[in-house]
Structure formats: structure tokens, C-alpha cells
Amino acid sequence: MSSEPRPDQAPDQAYVWIWLPGATEPVVAGLLARDGGELVFNYGRSYLARDNAMSIYTPELPLRPGIQRPLPGLNMPSCLRDAAPDAWGRRVIINRRFGARRDQIDVDQLDELTYLLDSGSDRIGALDFQASALAYVPREARAASLDELMQAADLVQHGETLPPALEQALFHGSSIGGARPKALIREGDKSYIAKFSSPSDVFNVVKGEYVAMRLASRVGLDVAPVRLTRAAGRDVLLVERFDRRPAGDGWTRRAMVSGLTLLGLDERMARYASYEDLCTLIRHGFADPGATLREVFGRLVLNILAGNNDDHARNHAAFWDGDRLRLTPAYDICPQGRAGNETSQAMLIVGAERMSRLAVCRRAAVNFQLTQAQANAIIDHQVGAIHEAWPEICDEAQLSEVDRGLMWRRQILNPYAFEE
């Protein structure tokens, strides 16, 4: 294992590579470099000269020469931070770099450039990061079974050193966001994020997310397809990726930005993220804003009815084509544990209100360009559809009676949602 790097060993720069629309191979877009306490970006001259060059994200990094600094309050361009690993990936990288000394290392002890260059190349969206501008060398891992990936995830969660083979298998998915254990797999012409159960789970979180995602689909929302499987005697949720498409012998990648980037925020400012501001952005920057606003309102209602209060801005995203934004399918809809009835959403809903009540959604309807009658119709439809689909989807998931009891009227259709 490598020893802990001294501060002067931390990388000072990383070349940003991008998959342009329809391409199966990346090209160099520019350089991300350290400048004091900030990471600044500069498009390459050869990239700017391309006929098909597009901005990584125009509101942050417009297609022009010269050094571009982060927006006020940010340490690096948020559209590039979107491609960095989150809590789970950082744990994998720390385990990989420091081995037995990993418990002495804080995740913030390594900087963003290190995480970008140390994580796997098959990250969300259409970007990757390399030490060289001349040759693209993907950081990939050997193919591994779900059983092996589950075993590797368990070892990381228990703070144990990974054998080299398992280390390489899990490394491939280290760039994927989120805090829970996960990995990347491919089956034929499909690419999936595999989400694993954790030994510390109080209830079956994997099946809970499956149920919530399927309920979201049944009420008519645009949702990433999911299916359940088993590995090492435990449940695994497979979420089909919507940022990848097979093309001949390769794969195309769709550029994406998170809701946090859309709102010009980072994790330190995430508590200020609001559906009101998101609605304003949708009205002015999205293709088909009317339908998009209705979809986002439906997702907000479903999150409340399904007990998912983890609807933070990174759990919203949009495709970017260099000109306009389009909402991605919904993902990461997972019922959250709660001790009592009262709870609140991660994003502000209207004004300073974020309480997980349908009454708050109704007050916010005007921001989504909906009348009260239209908002009520969406809510009534979802409540009825959830009642109708619940037994069938629980059977699909082979959810135990105990887990059904833990979810129904506690997470799913909790009475608090209907107060006022």
C-alpha cells in the first residue's frame, strides 16, 4: 500500500476529458488546476477549435478561452464536482490508499484533485479526469461477480483491508455518488448501479428502495428502471443507468449536472436549496418547462407519500446538451427511517417551509405553474395509485410481513403527510 502523501505530493492539476454527444471515445476539454484555495478551469485551444465543442455547463464554464474561476462561494466548478466521488467512493479510495492506517485518515484530508484522479473512470455523466492530456487511460477493474462485490463492500464497511482482487473489483464504482455501498456492473447492453444491503440496516433498505421506485413508476413518474437480485444470500438492487447507451463496440455517455450545480451551490450550502429556485431555473432554462414542472411536483408529492425525505439537491439532475437542460429520470427514492410522524424534506418547498406535508405542496403549486385543482388531482391520483399498487409491488419484492408493517403508514402514506 502507498503511504500517506505529504501536502507537497498532492496533485496540482488534472486534465478534464469529455465524451461529446454520440461519441464513444473522449477528447480533452481542458485543465483543472489549483490556484491558491481554489480549483480553476481553462478550456484547451484544440478543444475550442473543434466544430462540435460544447461547454461543460455554460452557466459555470462558458465555451471561451482563459482561466475560469468558480462561482462565488464555491471552491471549484460545481459541474466538475458532480463527477467526484461522494461518501462511499471516498471510503473505498481511503481504504485502497492507506490500508491498515485508513481509520487514522479523515475523508477531508485528501483534496478534490486526489479524489478525482484516484476514482474509477466510469463516473456519472460524460466526464473523466486524467494526469495526461495526450493519452486517455481509463482506470478500470476486472469483471467481478455480485458475490465478490458484496464481499468487498462488507470489508470496507467493517474497516478491513481488501485483498488485491477484491480491491480492484470495488474500485471501478468508486466514482459513483452516495453514502451507501454500491458498485457498477454491465449485463449485455445494459449498465447498472448495484446497491447493496448493509449489516447495520434496521430494515430492508434495498427492498424499501425497490418498492418506492416501483410505486413512483406506477403513479406515472419518469423513473429509472429497477430490479432485485440476490448475492451472497442478501438482496441487491440493480438500477439501470440512464447516462449510458451502447453504440457498436462502445458506449456513449450523456452529460449531466446535479440540482446542486443548477442552483449554484455546494454541499456546505445545500440547506439553502429550494424547489422554488429550481422551478425558476426550469421555467427559464429547460426544454419543455411546463411538463418538467409538473413532473418535479409529482416527484415532490411522491417523496412525501413514500417517506423519502432525502430529496437533497444532488438527488435531482438534468441532462445537458450544450444548449438546453432536460430532467433525468428520477433516482434514489428510498423510504427513510423515522422515530415519530413529523419530518421534513431536505429541500425547502415554499418560502421557509420544508415540512413533509401535502398541504405545503398545495401552497407551492403556483411555483410549478399548477392550479389548486391540478395539484389536488396529482395528489389524489398518487394516493389512489399507491393504495392499489402496494400489495402487488410488495409481492414483487417478496417483502416480509414485518417489513410491510414497518413501512405501511410509517414511511408509506404516513398520517403526518395528510395533516392540515
Side-chain angles (χ1 to χ4, degrees), residues 254-365:
R254 297 190 69 178
M256 288 172 50
V257 290
S258 72
L260 213 52
T261 293
L262 294 173
L263 296 168
L265 305 173
D266 65 9
E267 276 76 10
R268 298 168 302 164
M269 300 181 283
R271 66 185 181 278
Y272 301 116
S274 75
Y275 282 97
E276 279 190 276
D277 290 340
L278 182 58
C279 286
T280 300
L281 287 165
I282 290 170
R283 288 195 296 270
H284 296 289
F286 275 64
D288 199 0
T292 303
L293 287 168
R294 184 182 179 91
E295 172 75 15
V296 174
F297 183 80
R299 294 182 187 185
L300 168 60
V301 170
L302 187 281
N303 281 330
I304 289 174
L305 294 176
N308 175 40
N309 58 14
D310 192 35
D311 59 339
H312 56 80
R314 278 213 185 278
N315 280 346
H316 300 270
F319 296 121
W320 168 250
D321 65 6
D323 179 46
R324 303 289 281 179
L325 294 156
R326 293 182 185 274
L327 195 66
T328 71
Y331 56 94
D332 280 358
I333 303 174
C334 185
Q336 304 295 310
R338 56 210 282 183
N341 284 342
E342 183 174 310
T343 189
S344 59
Q345 299 303 116
M347 284 176 56
L348 294 164
I349 299 173
V350 58
E353 293 187 84
R354 64 171 85 234
M355 302 311 291
S356 306
R357 295 200 305 260
L358 298 173
V360 181
C361 295
R362 291 187 175 96
R363 287 196 284 277

Side-chain angles (χ1 to χ4, degrees), residues 18-26 52 247 251-253:
I18 187 171
W19 278 255
L20 292 168
T24 57
E25 298 292 337
N52 62 343
W251 294 74
T252 63
R253 305 189 181 195

Side-chain angles (χ1 to χ4, degrees), residues 180-195:
R180 291 186 58 81
K182 57 182 64 68
L184 296 175
I185 65 168
R186 285 179 180 170
E187 293 181 355
D189 63 351
K190 302 287 187 183
S191 184
Y192 296 95
I193 297 173
K195 296 188 173 185

